[in-house]
Amino acid sequence: MSVGEVAGLIAACALLILVGLLAYPILKLGKVFDETRIMVKGVSDSSIPLLGEVTTTVATTNAQLAKVDTITDNATTVTTNAAALMSLFSATAGGPLVKAAAFTYGVRRALGEQQRKDVAKRVKDEMKAERKARKR
């Protein structure tokens, strides 16, 4: 064997060792890629039904919001009608009701004054009677 052949044999062995050393990380990297592929497939398999459910939920929510809008519009209409009815009532019956309330207040006040005067007079009469009775 010549020196060139020995050098070639050493170079071939070194290359074989280098390939062996590089093969192990490459195999490990291949396993990592396989696991990553499996994980991505699992995520996509579970996210597709989830997206379908989200779409259904959003559609249902939009339908409910449309119903709430209808209810809100009806409540606004009822409020407007109630305000108009109140205005009509106060315009037509408000004046006479205020007059009737004022009249009944005056009557109650007058009757109250009369009753108070009667009670005061009775109390004075009783006090006079008691003083007279004590003097005897």
Side-chain angles (χ1 to χ4, degrees):
M1 260 211 221
S2 70
V3 177
E5 289 176 347
V6 171
L9 188 60
I10 292 175
C13 287
L15 185 62
L16 183 63
I17 292 172
L18 182 65
V19 168
L21 289 175
L22 290 177
Y24 182 72
I26 290 174
L27 289 174
K28 288 287 189 180
L29 186 61
K31 288 182 181 178
V32 168
F33 283 147
D34 287 342
E35 290 295 322
T36 304
R37 181 184 52 79
I38 290 169
M39 184 182 69
V40 167
K41 185 178 184 307
V43 167
S44 67
D45 287 348
S46 63
S47 64
I48 289 174
L50 182 64
L51 289 174
E53 290 176 13
V54 168
T55 303
T56 304
T57 302
V58 168
T60 304
T61 303
N62 284 338
Q64 294 300 321
L65 286 176
K67 290 179 182 178
V68 169
D69 285 342
T70 303
I71 291 169
T72 305
D73 291 342
N74 289 341
T76 303
T77 303
V78 168
T79 304
T80 304
N81 289 345
L85 183 63
M86 203 58 204
S87 296
L88 178 66
F89 178 75
S90 64
T92 56
L97 284 178
V98 169
K99 289 178 184 177
F103 175 74
T104 57
Y105 175 75
V107 169
R108 280 186 294 152
R109 179 106 177 176
L111 290 177
E113 277 296 314
Q114 186 63 38
Q115 287 176 351
R116 196 166 30 127
K117 286 179 186 177
D118 291 343
V119 169
K121 185 178 178 187
R122 274 189 274 145
V123 169
K124 284 181 186 177
D125 291 342
E126 287 177 11
M127 289 173 69
K128 283 182 187 179
E130 284 180 19
R131 277 189 246 150
K132 285 182 183 179
R134 274 193 243 153
K135 286 183 182 179
R136 290 185 191 171

